[in-house]
């Protein structure tokens, strides 16, 4: 998609955000980079259960994060849960990389605890609860609050495009207008996804580009009406 946009503006009550094709959210006014559901160490967890998956220790996703920080120069990076895939994911190598990550990012790294962090302890990265950041209410799972824009993860939203053998599943940002809830796509590549519901505003991520999409075209065709008797 040569020439396709790598970011899309998102304006909520005068507060400007940018949806990034890198599967993250940039808040330029607060100089904060937000992402969710990296699931580092997922391959190692699967391997521990006898499922052979190739592993790079999450290096590719962390390298993508470092490249984003290099370009945007955030004041802080906030992960909205599921940075890791579970206690078994925390190999000595991953622990060491996470310890070094704030220095490599050039800014503080913060973590709102997700369900996959339960029972885990990461050095120098305490799990925080849902909280406000300016007009944003940050949480792992969707947690709408009146008067706030809830920015969250957990769902791993995807859209179904096309049909039959040509059908694609693409990660996306999903905005639930009635709830003022913006769901981020999973930042990690080794993740599944939950198909978005009709009525949500979607922005698809594909080939390092981000595009607004009309959800009505992503669902199964309507059933044919029976002819009148």
């Amino acid at each position: 998609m040569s020439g396709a946009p790598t970011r899309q503006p998102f304006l909520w009550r005068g507060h400007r955000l940018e949806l990034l094709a890198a599967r993250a959210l940039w808040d330029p006014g607060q100089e904060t980079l937000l992402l969710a559901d990296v699931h580092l160490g997922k391959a190692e967890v699967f391997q521990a259960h006898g499922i052979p998956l190739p592993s790079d220790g999450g290096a590719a996703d962390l390298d993508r994060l470092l490249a984003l920080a290099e370009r945007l120069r955030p004041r802080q990076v906030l992960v909205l849960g599921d940075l890791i895939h579970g206690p078994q994911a925390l190999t000595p190598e991953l622990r060491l990389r996470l310890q070094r990550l704030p220095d490599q990012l050039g800014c503080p790294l913060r973590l709102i605890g997700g369900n996959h962090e339960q029972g885990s302890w990461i050095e120098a990265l305490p799990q925080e609860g849902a909280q406000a950041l300016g007009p944003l209410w940050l949480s792992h799972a969707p947690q709408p609050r009146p008067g706030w824009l809830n920015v969250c993860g957990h769902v791993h939203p995807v859209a179904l495009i096309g049909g039959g053998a040509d059908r694609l599943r693409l990660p996306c940002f999903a905005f639930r207008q009635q709830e003022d809830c913006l769901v981020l796509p999973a930042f990690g590549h080794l993740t599944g996804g939950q198909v978005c519901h009709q009525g949500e505003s979607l922005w698809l991520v594909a080939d390092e580009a981000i595009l607004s999409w009309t959800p009505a075209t992503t669902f199964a065709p309507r059933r044919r009406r029976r002819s009148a008797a």
Side-chain angles (χ1 to χ4, degrees), residues 40-50 84-95 116-121:
L40 295 172
K42 184 173 182 178
E44 286 78 6
V45 173
F46 275 58
Q47 290 165 8
H49 289 85
I84 62 171
H85 195 65
Q88 289 179 307
L90 285 169
T91 62
E93 293 79 13
L94 182 55
R95 285 188 181 276
H116 280 269
E117 271 90 28
Q118 292 181 6
S120 300
W121 175 72

Side-chain angles (χ1 to χ4, degrees), residues 11 14 27 46 64 69 73-74 86 113 132 140-141 145 155 169 172 183 186:
L11 195 66
D27 186 329
F46 275 58
R64 289 172 47 240
R73 300 290 184 180
H140 174 55
R145 290 169 67 95
V155 178
R169 290 171 60 94
C172 63
V183 186

